[in-house]
Amino acid sequence: MEALTAVKVLLIVTSHSQFGNTGEKTGFWLEELAAPYEQFTKAGAQVDIASPLGGKAPVDPRSEKEQTEDTRAFLADAEATKKLANTKVLAQVKDTYDAYFVVGGHGVMWDLSRHAPAHQLLSAGYARGAVVAAVCHGPAALVGVKGPDGKPLVAGKRVAAFSNAEEQAAKFDAIVPFPLETRMRELGARYESGPLWKSFTVRDGRLVTGQNPASSAATAQEVLKVLAEKKQAPATKG
């Protein structure tokens, strides 16, 4: 694929570290940050990381135990870990990115689902022609995002996200503030899913979403395809 050296991508992570009232910790899911970071940087893109509170973002401890080639590469990358330790404050981020990618992890369900600055940034970015993407619980950040027509961005669009069946299989369905699949459907999304825990990614124009941690790399690859197409085609608002 042609190098996307002039392309800027913003990875958005949660700042929320409390897993409901369980006393356990949550945060972002490491694989869902590491795999996209690897894909985007490998393609030559400039990658930044932002969160609601800025500074060091909380990683879900459970995701640190599930090491992959991508997570090991990320943790060994001094520049990557420095960005994660010093995330940008979302409310201060300028809308200058070619793509926005919301990293999953249960923390998103509590803060990014209600974080107005994130919703405004994604709404403005999409209206301007940027790619908006999210994986696993990341689509929870889309619940407050409006399309250019003022309706929910996901309304009428094909969308993937962590499924109700996966939430139930993980025994977290009674802990999360709302079932993500159900909320997507309520907003008018044409929700789609694949087998539990297997990679499943959906693209609808400039909206790209993935179902679960296994979908992280594929979702990022789909974003790169959209960016490559945009680079070759005249700018449109479609």
Side-chain angles (χ1 to χ4, degrees):
M1 184 180 289
E2 182 186 357
L4 298 170
T5 48
V7 165
K8 293 173 64 182
V9 179
L10 184 70
L11 293 172
I12 299 173
V13 295
T14 180
S15 293
H16 187 88
S17 63
Q18 298 302 311
F19 196 33
N21 297 318
T22 64
E24 294 181 30
K25 295 292 186 184
T26 187
F28 68 88
W29 199 262
L30 186 56
E31 169 73 5
E32 296 169 26
L33 175 69
Y37 187 91
E38 171 70 11
Q39 292 294 326
F40 294 138
T41 53
K42 193 167 65 176
Q46 175 192 322
V47 183
D48 292 325
I49 306 175
S51 65
L53 298 180
K56 186 179 180 181
V59 60
D60 190 308
R62 289 170 298 137
S63 71
E64 292 182 295
K65 296 172 185 172
E66 298 184 18
Q67 291 290 307
T68 66
E69 188 177 330
D70 285 331
T71 61
R72 284 189 288 269
F74 183 90
L75 294 173
D77 184 330
E79 185 179 0
T81 54
K82 183 179 179 182
K83 288 178 181 178
L84 181 58
N86 301 277
T87 64
K88 297 174 180 291
V89 178
L90 266 172
Q92 298 171 5
V93 169
K94 299 282 193 295
D95 176 31
T96 57
Y97 291 87
D98 299 283
Y100 297 89
F101 190 107
V102 186
V103 173
H106 277 93
V108 177
M109 300 286 284
W110 279 274
D111 64 355
L112 285 166
S113 64
R114 300 181 298 186
H115 192 61
H119 301 162
Q120 291 158 6
L121 183 68
L122 295 174
S123 297
Y126 188 85
R128 176 175 51 78
V131 182
V132 170
V135 68
C136 198
H137 288 91
L142 303 180
V143 301
V145 179
K146 304 293 186 188
D149 58 3
K151 296 177 183 175
L153 177 62
V154 300
K157 291 188 176 65
R158 297 173 60 224
V159 170
F162 203 62
S163 67
N164 288 352
E166 285 168 319
E167 203 74 85
Q168 289 157 5
K171 296 184 168 57
F172 295 147
D173 52 307
I175 302 170
V176 293
F178 57 88
L180 184 52
E181 173 187 333
T182 301
R183 181 64 59 87
M184 289 290 110
R185 294 183 187 279
E186 289 170 351
L187 291 169
R190 293 158 56 198
Y191 178 84
E192 298 180 19
S193 62
L196 270 65
W197 319 120
K198 301 293 186 184
S199 178
F200 185 81
T201 297
V202 170
R203 173 189 172 185
D204 194 322
R206 289 181 289 105
L207 180 65
V208 182
T209 45
Q211 181 177 328
N212 47 35
S215 314
S216 303
T219 305
Q221 289 163 4
E222 202 62 42
V223 171
L224 288 168
K225 289 180 190 174
V226 184
L227 290 169
E229 289 170 14
K230 280 168 59 63
K231 196 172 181 182
Q232 294 165 1
T236 64
K237 292 279 186 176

